[in-house]
Amino acid sequence: MSDYNKEEIGRIEEKWRKEWVKRGVYKVVPSKKPKYYVLDMFPYPSGAGLHVGHPLGYIASDIVARFKRLKGFNVLHPMGFDAFGLPAEQYAIEHGIHPAKSTGQNIKNFISQMDKIGFCYDWSREVRTCDPTYYKWTQWIFLQIFDSWYNRKKDKADRIETLISIFEGEGNCNHPFPNIKHRLPGSGETLFSALDWKSFDEKSRQEILMQYRLAYLAYTDVNWCEALGTVLANDEVINGVSYRGGFPVVKKQMRQWSLRITEYAERLLKGLEEIDFSDSMKEIQRNWIGKSTGAKIRFKVKSEKSKVDDMVVFTTRPDTIFGVDFMVVAPEHEMVKDIASEAQRGEVEKYLTYVESRSEIDRMAEVKKITGAFTGAYAINPFNRREIPIWISEYVLAGYGTGAIMGVPCSDERDHKFAKHFNLPITNIIGPHYNGKEANPTYDAVLENSDFLNGLVMREAIQVVVNKLEEMGIGRRQVNYKMRDAGWSRQRYWGEPFPVIYRDDMPYAMDEKGLPLELPDSNDFRPSGTGEGPLANLKDWIKIGERERRDSDTMPTHAGAAWYFLRFTDPHNTKEFASREALDYWGQVDVYIGGSEHAVAHLLYARLWVKILHDLGYLGFDEPFKKLINQGKITGDSRFVYRVRGTNKFVSAGLKDQYDTDALHVDVKIVNGLELNLEAFTQWKPDFANAEFILEEGKYICGAAIEKMSKSYFNVVNPDDIIESYGADTLRMYEMFLGPLEQSKPWNTNGIDGVYKFLRKFWNLFHDVKGNFRLSDDEPTRAELKVLHKTLKKIEQDVESFSFNTSVSEFMICVNELTSLKTNKRSILEPLVIGLSSFAPHVTEELWEKLGHKETAFNSTFPQYQEEYLKENSFEYPISINGKVRAKMEFALDMPKEDIEKVVLASGIVNKWSEGKPPKKVIVVQGRIVNIVL
RNA sequence: GCGGAUGUGGCGUAAUUGGCAGCCGCGCCAGACUUAGGAUCUGGUGCCGUAAGGCGUGGGGGUUCGAGUCCCUUCAUCCGCACCA
């Protein structure tokens, strides 16, 4: 009566989709059970909807969630939407549709697509970052960050009020400015006393506090993109052009919000040790943080001007100090204008003009180009009083270290090239390690020409030099990080407004009662063009009174994403961002699944916010994600047709070299394998209605390429289409079967029939040839039990280790074996239904019901496998001697290794071959004699 | 340039972690059935060879009784960072 076919699958899947919602089976609340938190990286709801690549990670997490639930855990498995962002805003500019409206529609579409795949999300916990009830708390957390400073003495964030009382009591002598370059206006000092503090007026005090706040305003160099009319984050700029659109990006100074993430650099780095991320992911984060240990050294400067500041360099190689042949400072360095000599002034100015003229793109494109100019000034080596010429060059970056370096040509590649290019003398301090042709950055050389360091190995000399520098008071150990503070302002409409009010140009936190500060309604999403965002156009909103105004910027999308996993624990709380009880119960995310493209930005900001909230006492943990899995990307498999240039003739791929052709993407839907469906092609686009074809063997063969899945390549495969023809269960299992989760792979449906057949075979175990449900209550045989328990064990191991592709294989083997055993016994099939239910929830739920259960399969328990059925009583072991199988013996399976050795030795087989001498070695592997060495 | 990863049949992949390489699926070959379907079922399928046998996990070398797995070296591909002193 019922066959596992298209119609039946459609009926079953729709039935259970509705039933699960009706019964509310996916709703979770805290309980006495142990918790397990499985999280997906929530998507940005783009207008294009989901393609088959998106659900890969979601399917994996769904399997884990269902499996853990069967194993007795109380599983939190929520989903939400990262709904603020630039695409909706650009769509609004182009089509006049308000971002709120298009975003809402997109979300609706996403949810319907996701529901079809059968995910067990607790939709009652859905969050949207663009919802005021959500971003109220994004703003609130921002204010907590604004109201904090990093107490380096305690190595944690503290409330700003603690800083104020420190200033009132002792000034800032124990807590100098985090940014060492900062000076008090007027005096130019870096330290102030308690008395000074009391003498400062309100604005000065606020400006000082701003230097300490973890969310602060400052004039920063930002990536200004004229074409997009906005500022971009570092990770939105790739090779000097914008990530979206590829428009040029230039530096511009703007007063912006930043997060002082640099204060957390060390903890973000250390934290990596205790969390389970892949090596490459950790490495990318380490790289981004970019810690390097070295020393800061102060050099006296000799120049024509009598009073000049010392120059300070950062180096990781203080041991090479006697090899310094020149100094280089960044062109932007403030000392440049002071030290340039009369004779060199022209050169220097010419060079500065040149640097100014170079765009970011030029600079990146020509990193190898060596340029520079001599300033005419000299630095004095503190140990041997040697006068070292000071140069400027753009290869030294103003933003890293001190913006000045010591040039050691014999041990640094770039310095060496610089010296060669400008014909500067090269001092060899590493003897035979330097060949005169290229620098050698070794640590192992014995130093020469190095005064008191002569004879020391470089590695050891580092400490000796630093100790001496510290003794002399002209240097000290220093750790540097590449990471910069995170720019947190965006000149956009569709984001969280900053919950602050400016008074006398200084921002003050809004009262909590005023939150959320709602995004004002608007029809004008164009940037103001002056660098300010669209909100600046809403003058009435910006201006509050005569002296007060709002911020016209909004937060980046990272803001909402930096804490959404916390909100899921208590999504409807109107009093707090989440209750401490909920946070303590659900705690850290046990498994976080998502793409590696969020390696730096999102994960670092999420980790940062959690650390700050932890420091302020809101959280009991300071790492959000215990384990991270990066699912691979599913790429598209594009097809091409070849049009003979200037004609409407299309030539098959095998013959295209005989013509002058252009390759055009063709919709993968009208290509079967590589063969083009000619009729469908002529109907595809009006241009091709009269197309002519040059065929090979009567067929038109298309070209193929693996590319990103994209609408414009016509290679997008929609999961809905797969579900339409095979059902959601097949889609789920096939995506898992495709290969290891973490590996990127092209989408193809080559093997999907195999998975589909598997589900049908599974179904047929329960049905006779006529499709009638039939089941036997007979006692299972030993062989059947063995198949069952072997499968259960494998599945459990595979799912725990996230190798879902092998799980699917195991199920296939199981069904093949049961089919050939003609098994239709309840005692065997019922546990398998539960075993399979994480992977194929719809068909198993239907079978579960047919098996007579009222309660949903989702609420059952994963069956325990029985070790005894996995074992045989005895086994025939081949006995190899010196690598060749010489004999076979039978042993009890659980016989200890030593006993096996004894039996073999007693048997005389070995003596036969070893002339009575005991063998050198008897190798027993897993209770099995593998080899005997004579 | 630096860092990370990967490399196994015609294809996607597997290998109890050092123990009979190629499980499972696709494809292909042969057969059965048939209401002729791009259906279903059964058997076969790493390569060379009629066979016996030989070869085989990108290449070369090493450790080991034994290597896809460990070590050295080299090549190729992908990803990340890229003048970070």
Side-chain angles (χ1 to χ4, degrees):
Chain A
M1 290 213 282
S2 58
D3 191 14
Y4 192 71
N5 58 28
K6 207 166 152 175
E7 288 70 35
E8 181 71 357
I9 294 165
R11 187 191 67 77
I12 293 171
E13 294 191 348
E14 203 193 330
K15 169 182 164 189
W16 287 106
R17 250 195 331 266
K18 286 184 183 153
E19 200 63 22
W20 286 324
V21 173
K22 203 174 107 195
R23 299 193 196 173
V25 290
Y26 296 151
K27 281 217 173 75
V28 288
V29 289
S31 76
K32 289 218 170 70
K33 287 198 238 170
K35 69 92 191 184
Y36 197 84
Y37 189 174
V38 192
L39 184 68
D40 293 294
M41 286 186 188
F42 68 162
Y44 174 79
S46 82
L50 292 176
H51 63 64
V52 288
H54 293 114
L56 183 71
Y58 304 155
I59 294 170
S61 68
D62 194 67
I63 290 170
V64 173
R66 288 172 179 273
F67 176 81
K68 285 288 177 186
R69 174 145 176 148
L70 295 174
K71 292 297 274 181
F73 289 88
N74 191 23
V75 176
L76 178 58
H77 186 220
M79 179 47 84
F81 297 93
D82 189 12
F84 273 136
L86 193 53
E89 190 162 325
Q90 292 211 313
Y91 189 80
I93 293 170
E94 286 158 24
H95 299 94
I97 295 173
H98 194 279
K101 197 177 169 195
S102 61
T103 303
Q105 282 166 349
N106 293 348
I107 289 176
K108 212 177 142 198
N109 182 32
F110 264 59
I111 292 177
S112 107
Q113 280 190 295
M114 286 175 161
D115 276 347
K116 277 188 206 154
I117 305 173
F119 295 134
C120 63
Y121 294 128
D122 178 357
W123 282 115
S124 73
R125 289 176 183 263
E126 183 205 332
V127 301
R128 303 176 183 194
T129 55
C130 66
D131 190 327
T133 62
Y134 179 88
Y135 70 69
K136 168 179 180 175
W137 298 108
T138 309
Q139 292 173 331
W140 179 86
I141 296 171
F142 175 83
L143 289 181
Q144 308 313 303
I145 301 172
F146 176 67
D147 190 42
S148 316
W149 63 292
Y150 200 80
N151 187 333
R152 292 184 184 178
K153 293 281 180 313
K154 293 191 195 163
D155 207 16
K156 68 183 268 291
D158 256 336
R159 290 292 177 180
I160 211 83
E161 64 194 38
T162 63
L163 185 64
I164 294 172
S165 48
I166 288 169
F167 288 168
E168 283 168 351
E170 58 176 43
N172 74 341
C173 55
N174 283 315
H175 298 280
F177 289 117
N179 178 356
I180 51 155
K181 288 181 190 149
H182 190 75
R183 298 278 188 281
L184 289 171
S187 68
E189 295 296 320
T190 59
L191 295 179
F192 58 82
S193 67
L195 266 173
D196 292 336
W197 175 256
K198 282 175 193 130
S199 74
F200 296 146
D201 63 12
E202 166 66 12
K203 183 164 183 177
S204 308
R205 288 180 183 181
Q206 285 301 328
E207 271 168 359
I208 288 168
L209 291 176
M210 191 61 91
Q211 295 301 319
Y212 290 85
R213 292 181 190 275
L214 289 180
Y216 65 96
L217 273 178
Y219 283 93
T220 41
D221 250 348
V222 295
N223 304 303
W224 168 249
C225 180
E226 188 69 42
L228 294 174
T230 188
V231 167
L232 301 172
N234 284 333
D235 54 283
E236 290 170 318
V237 182
I238 293 166
N239 295 330
V241 297
S242 65
Y243 169 67
R244 285 182 57 83
F247 302 114
V249 173
V250 295
K251 293 278 182 216
K252 186 177 178 177
Q253 287 257 318
M254 287 183 79
R255 195 178 184 216
Q256 311 230 30
W257 287 102
S258 291
L259 299 190
R260 211 176 291 279
I261 191 171
T262 46
E263 290 289 338
Y264 279 86
E266 190 60 35
R267 281 171 64 188
L268 288 168
L269 195 60
K270 277 250 172 65
L272 288 173
E273 288 165 22
E274 67 198 49
I275 52 183
D276 187 3
F277 288 18
S278 69
D279 288 346
S280 68
M281 194 59 42
K282 287 186 180 183
E283 207 49 44
I284 291 170
Q285 292 210 4
R286 283 197 195 102
N287 217 309
W288 183 265
I289 295 167
K291 180 180 182 175
S292 56
T293 319
K296 215 183 249 182
I297 307 175
R298 216 166 67 225
F299 289 83
K300 290 257 176 275
V301 174
K302 185 189 143 192
S303 80
E304 288 172 0
K305 259 177 109 180
S306 53
K307 258 188 80 180
V308 285
D309 286 343
D310 292 346
M311 89 177 270
V312 182
V313 303
F314 171 72
T315 178
T316 53
R317 300 301 300 272
D319 52 314
T320 62
I321 190 151
F322 291 99
V324 178
D325 292 313
F326 54 92
M327 294 286 192
V328 190
V329 297
E332 299 87 352
H333 200 288
E334 49 196 10
M335 73 184 289
V336 171
K337 53 188 182 302
D338 283 348
I339 60 168
S341 71
E342 217 44 65
Q344 288 302 110
R345 178 135 302 174
E347 273 298 302
V348 168
E349 262 157 28
K350 206 171 114 199
Y351 186 68
L352 291 180
T353 315
Y354 160 78
V355 171
E356 194 105 326
S357 74
R358 303 236 304 155
S359 71
E360 197 70 1
I361 311 166
D362 296 339
R363 225 173 136 157
M364 286 193 174
E366 305 174 314
V367 286
K368 292 270 139 52
K369 195 168 166 185
I370 298 162
T371 62
F374 177 46
T375 60
Y378 295 85
I380 310 297
N381 185 319
F383 295 119
N384 61 5
R385 321 307 299 169
R386 185 174 154 201
E387 293 185 0
I388 309 160
I390 301 173
W391 287 65
I392 55 176
S393 173
E394 59 178 347
Y395 88 88
V396 172
L397 307 173
Y400 182 76
T402 59
I405 63 150
M406 47 188 230
V408 185
C410 75
S411 91
D412 184 280
E413 174 82 37
R414 293 151 305 174
D415 297 347
H416 192 266
K417 285 193 174 135
F418 193 80
K420 284 281 186 199
H421 189 262
F422 290 107
N423 265 322
L424 301 170
I426 296 170
T427 307
N428 181 14
I429 54 168
I430 53 176
H433 286 88
Y434 175 60
N435 63 9
K437 291 205 180 81
E438 52 190 6
N440 184 348
T442 178
Y443 281 89
D444 299 320
V446 175
L447 286 161
E448 296 176 10
N449 296 325
S450 291
D451 201 299
F452 65 96
L453 297 175
N454 282 337
L456 283 174
V457 175
M458 299 175 98
R459 208 174 283 290
E460 290 152 12
I462 293 175
Q463 300 310 320
V464 177
V465 175
V466 177
N467 288 342
K468 187 121 183 179
L469 288 167
E470 284 183 339
E471 224 168 81
M472 296 165 71
I474 52 169
R476 60 184 164 81
R477 273 162 240 276
Q478 172 82 26
V479 174
N480 245 308
Y481 301 93
K482 271 195 266 185
M483 184 169 66
R484 311 293 158 78
D485 282 343
W488 212 248
S489 293
R490 296 292 182 274
Q491 288 65 42
R492 291 181 192 163
Y493 172 78
W494 193 229
E496 300 88 349
F498 285 96
V500 293
I501 291 169
Y502 289 82
R503 224 170 282 141
D504 201 10
D505 232 22
M506 290 307 291
Y508 291 84
M510 279 178 60
D511 193 288
E512 200 179 317
K513 290 190 200 90
L515 299 184
L517 171 59
E518 288 205 41
L519 197 52
D521 201 7
S522 171
N523 300 315
D524 184 6
F525 311 110
R526 274 162 222 285
S528 68
T530 56
E532 290 179 290
L535 289 177
N537 300 332
L538 304 173
K539 302 240 158 28
D540 292 348
W541 185 78
I542 292 291
K543 203 168 169 190
I544 302 170
E546 274 311 301
R547 327 223 353 221
E548 296 182 338
R549 64 175 179 88
R550 296 190 199 284
D551 199 312
S552 63
D553 289 345
T554 55
M555 297 188 208
T557 48
H558 301 305
W563 72 284
Y564 74 107
F565 43 90
L566 301 175
R567 185 65 176 173
F568 278 137
T569 64
D570 193 9
H572 306 296
N573 198 326
T574 55
K575 303 266 187 309
E576 302 158 278
F577 71 97
S579 76
R580 186 63 196 257
E581 294 93 302
L583 290 166
D584 283 347
Y585 178 74
W586 295 111
Q588 289 167 287
V589 174
D590 291 280
V591 186
Y592 193 29
I593 300 185
S596 54
E597 65 272 21
H598 299 107
V600 266
H602 163 59
L603 288 172
L604 279 178
Y605 297 140
R607 293 179 62 212
L608 173 69
W609 280 39
V610 163
K611 282 182 194 300
I612 295 175
L613 288 170
H614 169 262
D615 286 356
L616 297 178
Y618 293 106
L619 290 176
F621 49 89
D622 85 334
E623 279 293 341
F625 315 117
K626 274 197 211 163
K627 182 178 176 69
L628 174 74
I629 303 260
N630 295 114
Q631 92 273 21
K633 279 191 204 39
I634 289 194
T635 43
D637 194 359
S638 308
R639 292 290 178 268
F640 299 92
V641 291
Y642 302 94
R643 183 167 60 192
V644 179
R645 197 161 294 166
T647 69
N648 205 15
K649 271 188 190 161
F650 293 82
V651 57
S652 186
L655 307 171
K656 75 171 162 49
D657 293 345
Q658 301 166 19
Y659 302 85
D660 184 18
T661 61
D662 296 309
L664 306 175
H665 277 94
V666 61
D667 195 332
V668 291
K669 287 197 188 84
I670 59 172
V671 181
N672 181 17
L674 288 174
E675 189 186 347
L676 182 67
N677 180 334
L678 298 179
E679 203 186 320
F681 180 71
T682 51
Q683 288 164 11
W684 182 43
K685 283 185 176 177
D687 287 3
F688 305 143
N690 300 315
E692 293 170 51
F693 301 97
I694 302 168
L695 306 176
E696 47 185 321
E697 291 168 14
K699 291 174 178 173
Y700 188 96
I701 304 299
C702 296
I706 303 301
E707 297 173 300
K708 187 180 125 204
M709 225 177 243
S710 157
K711 260 184 171 173
S712 58
Y713 297 157
F714 302 106
N715 62 358
V716 175
V717 183
N718 188 317
D720 298 3
D721 294 342
I722 304 290
I723 291 171
E724 174 64 28
S725 24
Y726 294 97
D729 290 337
T730 300
L731 172 74
R732 290 168 62 106
M733 293 199 80
Y734 183 59
E735 291 220 6
M736 293 299 99
F737 185 65
L738 223 41
L741 181 60
E742 307 208 47
Q743 208 167 81
S744 287
K745 51 225 157 196
W747 174 261
N748 67 69
T749 49
N750 289 348
I752 199 164
D753 284 332
V755 173
Y756 181 70
K757 272 189 233 170
F758 154 77
L759 284 171
R760 183 163 46 211
K761 281 189 201 168
F762 186 73
W763 177 267
N764 287 341
L765 286 172
F766 298 79
H767 297 87
D768 62 23
V769 277
K770 291 184 183 147
N772 294 314
F773 188 72
R774 44 120 228 191
L775 211 59
S776 137
D777 283 321
D778 293 350
E779 284 296 303
T781 65
R782 218 183 153 73
E784 289 170 331
L785 283 167
K786 193 173 170 184
V787 173
L788 170 69
H789 294 296
K790 192 177 71 186
T791 305
L792 291 174
K793 182 174 184 177
K794 280 281 199 180
I795 297 309
E796 208 173 304
Q797 284 173 346
D798 289 345
V799 175
E800 297 278 6
S801 61
F802 300 90
S803 39
F804 304 105
N805 54 329
T806 52
S807 317
V808 178
S809 292
E810 281 312 317
F811 277 121
M812 289 177 172
I813 294 168
C814 173
V815 164
N816 285 344
E817 287 175 358
L818 292 180
T819 303
S820 62
L821 288 170
K822 297 191 168 45
T823 302
N824 67 336
K825 288 169 190 161
R826 170 182 291 272
S827 52
I828 299 297
L829 296 181
E830 200 168 274
L832 286 176
V833 168
I834 293 305
L836 186 64
S837 70
S838 311
F839 288 80
H842 305 90
V843 64
T844 49
E845 191 76 84
E846 178 75 6
L847 290 169
W848 191 245
E849 192 188 52
K850 286 191 173 198
L851 285 162
H853 297 277
K854 296 244 155 49
E855 182 76 345
T856 161
F858 186 65
N859 280 341
S860 23
T861 304
F862 194 88
Q864 188 71 44
Y865 62 85
Q866 312 261 308
E867 206 58 70
E868 59 176 301
Y869 292 110
L870 303 180
K871 291 181 178 171
E872 301 282 357
N873 289 330
S874 63
F875 193 81
E876 195 180 43
Y877 297 133
I879 298 175
S880 306
I881 297 179
N882 282 355
K884 287 225 161 191
V885 177
R886 296 287 169 82
K888 285 184 176 175
M889 284 183 82
E890 200 164 287
F891 299 101
L893 190 118
D894 43 8
M895 187 183 279
K897 181 180 159 178
E898 298 74 32
D899 293 353
I900 294 178
E901 285 178 24
K902 274 182 213 153
V903 171
V904 173
L905 293 175
S907 71
I909 313 178
V910 178
N911 288 348
K912 189 176 161 194
W913 299 95
S914 63
E915 299 159 51
K917 279 183 277 180
K920 277 186 204 147
K921 219 169 167 187
V922 178
I923 299 147
V924 181
V925 176
Q926 286 159 5
R928 173 172 175 171
I929 299 257
V930 170
N931 206 354
I932 294 169
V933 186
L934 300 179

